[in-house]
Amino acid sequence: MKHSLYYKFILGYLVFGLLGFAAVGTVSDRMMREHLLEEKAEALYDEANLIASSYSGFYSGKKQDLNAAYSQLQAVAEFLRAEIWVVNRQGVVIVESRQSNRSGRVIEGFDPTATGNRSYCVGRYFNQFNYDVLSVSAPITGNYNTYGYVVVHLPIRQIQESSNRALDVVYISTGILFILSLIILLIFTKTVYIPLKKITEGANEYAAGNLDYQIDVKTHDEIGYLAATLNYMSDELNKMEDYQKTFIANVSHDFRSPLTSIKGYLEAILDGTIPPEMYEKYLTRVLSETDRLTKLTQGLLTLNTLDSKGYLSRSNFDINRVIKDTAASFEVICNQKNLTFDLTFSDSIQMVYADLGKIQQVLYNLIDNAIKFSHNDATIYIQTSIRYEKVFISVKDTGIGIPKDSVKKIWERFYKTDLSRGKDKRGTGLGLSIVKEIIQAHGENIDVISTEGVGSEFIFTLPKSTSL
């Protein structure tokens, strides 16, 4: 069975929390007990020394009231909640805080040096108690001799109770931190895990081919940005898929029509449907259709080249000269329709930095369109102007214009307006797509202003040459 990363994270978090809680409790309990033990031992030792100093008067020749000393002993024991014994060197209990008379009880195996270099010991104090006690002893000295010891016994359970009260605070604090971390985990689940899960589901849908799937993550952070990017990517891929289908359909259609015509003409010639005297006419039509196929193929190859990067070969050249030469190449067809060019240049020489061959193709396509859609006896206006570091080139005709609903679509590959289909039956619908690709590859812009029945103007920019 596979477990998700989130499941493993939750399991690890719970294990870590429980082990951490147990570790904190164990370590805190030990450290707290040792600290309280040291603290209590030090306080009891100070009290034992004070009592020992008061009892040392009996052995230094001073007159002391033993009953008064016992009252002091009992009061201190009551305050400390402990038992206090006065023991001689032989281990005989002389006085103890629980009774006023000298008990005379003998401590078997009494050894005041058993604690070593410490002033206290923990245990049952030579089996005098049936529970553990903290025992602290201080010597009773007089005349430079040790006559006995003051021993203070404090039940360990009192220290444990104090430790438990302190540990309660630690446990409560740890529990609060654990609850707060759970809240953080819930926030993490809502803001990170669930959106990531949705993104993963979306990626799986895209991998399965469902490009219409939308990832429902609307947060304004990196995850939301990632979801929006993936949604945008799916939309673009969906559009690309639709475009590819349309592209293939258009290519198939545009190739099929001339091929069908060529096949029909040749079959008619072969089976004798067309008499020999008509061969030239129909072979001319076959050549015309093959020219159309050649043009279509060249357009597709050009677009394929434009789709690749690094294809431009830039140089400095005079855009005015290129415009004049390109316009001159249309002399024959212009004479047929009695068209004239009106060329207006801001300077006699205008140098630009671009790919000469590609810009020639742009001008050729724009001028060719202007000629095709202009009426007879019309004028085509071509103008250059300078604004800042850009050269603006305009190609304007006074022809049939472009319908308003088609202005944004003319840049699409294979798109033809209904008006152009009537006048340009040999067009491929790739000319303006090639033009836009070339201009955008230069990092520049091209736009169109058109009114149906009035004419169209195409304006594009090129970078001004910086060389002298």
Side-chain angles (χ1 to χ4, degrees):
M1 179 180 178
K2 293 183 179 180
H3 298 297
S4 66
L5 182 62
Y6 183 71
Y7 174 82
K8 295 176 182 178
F9 178 78
I10 293 294
L11 183 62
Y13 172 81
L14 293 176
V15 172
F16 174 79
L18 294 175
L19 292 179
F21 191 81
V24 168
T26 302
V27 174
S28 299
D29 180 60
R30 181 176 299 177
M31 293 179 63
M32 189 66 67
R33 287 186 63 184
E34 291 179 355
H35 172 72
L36 291 176
L37 194 65
E38 294 283 348
E39 189 179 60
K40 284 290 184 180
E42 185 177 350
L44 293 178
Y45 184 73
D46 290 339
E47 293 294 337
N49 273 322
L50 289 175
I51 297 171
S53 64
S54 65
Y55 272 87
S56 64
F58 292 109
Y59 301 98
S60 59
K62 297 179 181 179
K63 290 184 179 180
Q64 294 284 343
D65 186 357
L66 189 58
N67 291 328
Y70 169 74
S71 299
Q72 179 188 9
L73 185 71
Q74 192 176 32
V76 173
E78 185 69 23
F79 175 75
L80 296 177
R81 298 172 61 193
E83 291 187 27
I84 304 176
W85 297 351
V86 177
V87 185
N88 64 15
R89 294 177 61 183
Q90 288 73 35
V92 178
V93 179
I94 306 300
V95 178
E96 55 182 302
S97 58
R98 289 185 300 181
Q99 53 188 32
S100 60
N101 61 324
R102 296 186 180 92
S103 66
R105 179 157 47 89
V106 177
I107 301 174
E108 297 292 337
F110 177 74
D111 183 5
T113 64
T115 59
N117 58 354
R118 295 190 305 177
S119 60
Y120 68 91
C121 64
V122 178
R124 301 199 173 184
Y125 200 72
F126 304 105
N127 295 319
Q128 298 298 306
F129 296 91
N130 56 4
Y131 52 86
D132 289 338
V133 295
L134 168 65
S135 300
V136 177
S137 62
I140 300 173
T141 58
N143 298 325
Y144 305 101
N145 291 315
T146 300
Y147 298 104
Y149 301 90
V150 174
V151 184
V152 182
H153 304 289
L154 180 69
I156 290 296
R157 63 174 178 273
Q158 292 188 25
I159 298 176
Q160 186 63 47
E161 289 173 359
S162 300
S163 175
N164 290 339
R165 286 194 296 271
L167 285 175
D168 287 342
V169 177
V170 175
Y171 293 146
I172 293 173
S173 300
T174 305
I176 292 174
L177 289 176
F178 189 73
I179 293 173
L180 291 176
S181 64
L182 281 176
I183 296 174
I184 295 174
L185 180 61
L186 293 175
I187 296 174
F188 169 82
T189 300
K190 183 177 180 181
T191 59
V192 177
Y193 173 70
I194 294 178
L196 284 178
K197 189 175 181 181
K198 291 181 179 179
I199 291 174
T200 302
E201 292 174 355
N204 291 331
E205 291 290 334
Y206 300 151
N210 183 15
L211 297 177
D212 294 323
Y213 185 86
Q214 291 290 305
I215 301 173
D216 185 23
V217 177
K218 307 297 182 183
T219 57
H220 300 284
D221 53 18
E222 288 80 359
I223 295 179
Y225 177 76
L226 175 61
T229 303
L230 290 175
N231 286 333
Y232 175 77
M233 178 197 72
S234 67
D235 291 339
E236 292 300 311
L237 289 175
N238 207 6
K239 292 178 183 178
M240 182 61 67
E241 185 177 1
D242 293 339
Y243 166 76
Q244 288 177 346
K245 293 178 181 178
T246 304
F247 180 84
I248 293 173
N250 289 333
V251 169
S252 300
H253 177 270
D254 280 21
F255 269 90
R256 184 171 58 250
S257 296
L259 287 174
T260 302
S261 298
I262 292 172
K263 181 182 178 183
Y265 293 144
L266 293 178
E267 287 177 346
I269 291 174
L270 289 175
D271 62 17
T273 303
I274 298 176
E277 62 271 15
M278 300 292 292
Y279 283 177
E280 183 178 357
K281 174 183 177 181
Y282 286 100
L283 287 176
T284 300
R285 291 182 180 179
V286 169
L287 286 175
S288 177
E289 293 297 330
T290 56
D291 287 339
R292 181 182 173 188
L293 285 175
T294 301
K295 187 177 180 181
L296 180 61
T297 303
Q298 289 176 344
L300 291 173
L301 291 175
T302 300
L303 287 173
N304 183 62
T305 303
L306 293 173
D307 287 338
S308 62
K309 295 183 179 180
Y311 73 95
L312 293 178
S313 178
R314 298 174 186 257
S315 62
N316 296 310
F317 60 89
D318 181 12
I319 187 64
N320 294 345
R321 170 53 56 190
V322 174
I323 292 174
K324 291 177 183 178
D325 293 342
T326 306
S329 66
F330 289 94
E331 181 179 358
V332 175
I333 191 172
C334 286
N335 289 336
Q336 294 175 354
K337 298 182 66 172
N338 196 25
L339 299 176
T340 58
F341 287 104
D342 184 337
L343 306 182
T344 304
F345 303 139
S346 58
D347 290 316
S348 58
I349 297 176
Q350 183 56 64
M351 301 297 292
V352 296
Y353 182 66
D355 188 314
L356 175 58
K358 296 296 188 295
I359 298 305
Q360 282 179 325
Q361 190 172 7
V362 168
L363 289 169
Y364 185 91
N365 287 348
L366 293 178
I367 295 173
D368 184 50
N369 278 348
I371 292 172
K372 289 176 182 177
F373 302 115
S374 291
H375 305 292
N376 293 340
D377 304 319
T379 301
I380 297 173
Y381 302 89
I382 304 177
Q383 180 181 2
T384 63
S385 59
I386 302 174
R387 298 178 189 173
Y388 305 104
E389 298 301 317
K390 301 289 184 181
V391 178
F392 286 75
I393 299 96
S394 167
V395 178
K396 182 179 180 181
D397 65 67
T398 55
I400 61 176
I402 303 171
K404 186 176 180 181
D405 58 351
S406 299
V407 171
K408 293 183 179 180
K409 300 178 181 179
I410 60 174
W411 309 109
E412 298 176 4
R413 299 178 183 184
F414 296 103
Y415 181 79
K416 295 181 182 180
T417 65
D418 293 335
L419 293 177
S420 69
R421 292 184 186 276
K423 282 188 166 287
D424 185 25
K425 295 184 181 297
R426 295 184 180 182
T428 63
L430 296 175
L432 291 179
S433 297
I434 294 173
V435 167
K436 187 169 186 179
E437 292 283 351
I438 291 174
I439 297 302
Q440 288 184 339
H442 282 79
E444 301 297 329
N445 298 310
I446 184 169
D447 202 359
V448 60
I449 302 172
S450 183
T451 302
E452 189 174 353
V454 177
S456 303
E457 181 180 11
F458 289 85
I459 305 170
F460 65 93
T461 60
L462 291 176
K464 183 180 176 182
S465 175
T466 57
S467 62
L468 299 177

